[in-house]
Amino acid sequence: MASVLQCMNCGQRYPVSSVIFACEVCNGLLDVTHDLNALRSTVTRQLFDSRLGSLEPPYNSGVWRFKELIYPDVDPALIVSRPEGNTNLYSVPQLAEWAGVDTLFLKHEGENPTGSFKDRGMTGGLTQARALGMKRVACASTGNTSASLAAYAAFAGIEGIVLFQNKHVALGKLSQALAYGATCIAIDADFDRNLQLVREVATEFGIYVLNSVNPFRLEGQKSIMFELLQQLRWQVPDWIVCPGGNLGNSSAFGKALHEAYELGLIDRMPRLAIIQAEGANPLYRSYQNGFERFEPVRADTVATAIKIGNPVNYPKAVRALQWTNGVVEQVSDQEIMEAKALIDARGIGCEPASACSLAGVRKLVDQGVIKRGESVVGILTGHLLKDPDATLGYHRNTLPGIAGTHRNVIHEASPTFDSLAEILSSTVTA
Ligand code: F0G
């Protein structure tokens, strides 16, 4: 059986050629469902390991190396790939110590072609746009999705359209979307409203929506988990920790792990911890009441990437938490910026939202949820250069309400040997 679109609520199926973003019967979210029984005989660790280091498209991509689990039937000639993925997994003992665990790895999705994990989703989304013959693609975005969409649309020769809240998009992301030539529309409304708008205009204007409500995006993002497991030689970590905004990534992680387990690629499930910013925490609030109620919030956080109050993938994130016996935690802007400063100072670096992962590990260890002896992988979602204003603001101590506790201050020197000598004598470490 070929892959189908399937409603996660009522199970209604649609051919993958349908241009729909919700179930036509019950309005539920759609999955791309693969025939796992048919894949069982072909999908093995050995198959994926044999493609490591390949120079041949599409297997040189860290997404399409796992093609059978992403989009098995797609014609390779249609694939739009930069190529993405193949991101590093860093062992970070000093940060592990700070967080209170023995073993911590950080997987850096900021090392993707446009500097965030969104590229893994966009290769899936643009490939499907091309398969469907779409001429225009669009998204609402807090910044990274628009940068990625703009690049991949340009690469595929399709018009890219991005809607964003102009005052709150980080500089690096905005400049990318402009430079890659997307049609950029600044709207004085938050992400949640912009996402509604993009869905409203899509049908009328023949536009293909590439927000994470598009299930082909999430299929691409599943590869973060497959690649991570492969980098760990298929040894399952105890915890995987990631930031949560629109909840596409955590949803994709849940589906990936579920499928990997069903197919026997792994023999147990890791636990997923989704970390939200305190000022944008609707999933955390709902988790606190056992998912009985879900209420959108008006979002505000220094981590503008996850400034989202009404995440569209909420039901899929809850499913991911159920599949993985997962937890949800929240962290303050102060905790986010402090964790970011520490990740940055190790020479790794990330944008504010990504630092939720490390801040979240420390908090969950404090609370006794994560035990010192458990192995943890944190996902860094975006590159340090995405948000230079946040970084400079922190080190200049000008971010409202945030203390620059790990500031790196710029020394002022006059152009003399003595002035330099004074500084260099004071900074030398043993
Ligand atoms: N980290 C970064 C750097 C992001 O850009 C995003 C989302 C997230 C984490 C959260 O991921 O939405 O899948 O839960 N950015 C989106 C955007 C919303 O428009 O770029 P999520």
Side-chain angles (χ1 to χ4, degrees), residues 248-271:
N249 226 14
S250 33
S251 299
F253 292 0
K255 186 167 188 282
L257 295 167
H258 180 71
E259 290 170 353
Y261 184 74
E262 289 291 305
L263 290 167
L265 288 171
I266 52 174
D267 51 16
R268 68 183 178 102
M269 289 290 259
R271 296 182 71 185

Side-chain angles (χ1 to χ4, degrees), residues 115-118 139-147 163 173 191 211-212 217-218 221 242-252 274-276 304-308 311 313 351-356 379-383 386:
S116 83
F117 70 93
K118 304 288 180 180
C139 68
S141 179
T142 57
N144 279 323
T145 305
S146 59
L163 276 60
K173 306 173 188 182
F191 170 84
N211 279 98
S212 55
R217 277 265 319 269
L218 300 193
Q221 287 169 216
C242 68
N246 212 19
L247 303 177
N249 226 14
S250 33
S251 299
I274 305 175
I275 315 298
Q276 294 207 293
T304 54
I306 50 173
K307 190 169 162 284
I308 294 172
N313 290 299
E351 68 164 281
S354 308
C356 283
I379 308 298
L380 300 181
T381 45
H383 198 282
K386 288 284 191 173

Side-chain angles (χ1 to χ4, degrees), residues 161-195:
I161 303 165
V162 305
L163 276 60
F164 55 85
Q165 187 186 14
N166 52 352
K167 288 189 280 299
H168 297 274
V169 175
L171 201 62
K173 306 173 188 182
L174 181 58
S175 55
Q176 281 180 293
L178 268 177
Y180 292 133
T183 303
C184 296
I185 309 175
I187 304 182
D188 190 15
D190 62 11
F191 170 84
D192 303 295
R193 175 67 188 136
N194 281 340
L195 182 50

Side-chain angles (χ1 to χ4, degrees), residues 69-114:
L69 297 175
I70 308 293
Y71 199 171
D73 315 313
V74 77
D75 175 357
L78 292 172
I79 291 178
V80 183
S81 173
R82 284 284 305 270
E84 47 292 308
N86 293 314
T87 60
N88 286 300
L89 183 68
Y90 296 97
S91 170
V92 283
Q94 295 91 344
L95 298 177
E97 193 47 47
W98 179 79
V101 288
D102 295 334
T103 311
L104 176 68
F105 292 95
L106 294 176
K107 184 161 175 61
H108 206 328
E109 288 300 303
E111 295 172 353
N112 272 292
T114 76

